[in-house]
Amino acid sequence: MSVHVSAPDSLAALARVIESRLPQNGGDPDASYVARLLHKGPDAFLKKIGEEATEVVMAAKDADFGGDRTKVVSEVADLWFHCMVALAHYGLSPADVVAELERRVGTSGIEEKALRKVLAREGGAS
């Protein structure tokens, strides 16, 4: 009998592991990839996010031309993982991202973008 774990539970569990690798939590750069990334600082994990985002795009383009669609899932998993490293570095969690997505439910993307432009203009005018 297999036990199904929900996505939020899986993300929360992974977030706890990543948080345990933070320098202030004793993460050992010699023993952990995450601790090594965090030890190197934001430039290291932000570079990885850029690389992984590019790999998502490439996998999706390949899938459009008959390539392996599961590669898209694999690359998105890599991207999410590295984004979670960034979240942990900045004291944030997947729950913060989910809360933001929930806040946006029912709001048109077009309206959301227009509102951000208005708020940016108003913020720049002060």
Side-chain angles (χ1 to χ4, degrees):
M1 178 177 172
S2 67
V3 176
H4 177 72
V5 178
S6 73
D9 292 341
S10 296
L11 291 174
L14 179 56
R16 285 191 296 275
V17 171
I18 292 169
E19 288 168 15
S20 75
R21 305 301 200 264
L22 288 165
Q24 62 266 34
N25 294 334
D28 180 0
D30 294 327
S32 164
Y33 170 73
V34 170
R36 190 173 316 135
L37 270 179
L38 291 165
H39 179 76
K40 289 179 180 179
D43 285 348
F45 59 77
L46 295 173
K47 180 180 177 187
K48 284 301 296 181
I49 290 170
E51 291 170 4
E52 298 302 343
T54 299
E55 290 174 15
V56 169
V57 171
M58 292 174 10
K61 294 300 282 180
D62 287 347
D64 281 341
F65 293 100
D68 183 3
R69 292 171 56 152
T70 62
K71 185 88 169 132
V72 176
V73 172
S74 176
E75 296 301 343
V76 169
D78 291 346
L79 176 59
W80 284 15
F81 173 81
H82 288 90
C83 287
M84 289 177 66
V85 171
L87 288 170
H89 173 79
Y90 295 110
L92 301 166
S93 73
D96 296 310
V97 177
V98 169
E100 174 61 14
L101 291 171
E102 288 174 347
R103 184 191 67 78
R104 296 179 184 187
V105 170
T107 302
S108 157
I110 294 169
E111 291 171 5
E112 174 81 12
K113 187 172 182 178
L115 178 59
R116 278 186 273 145
K117 285 182 180 180
V118 168
L119 291 174
R121 275 196 305 267
E122 290 175 355
S126 15

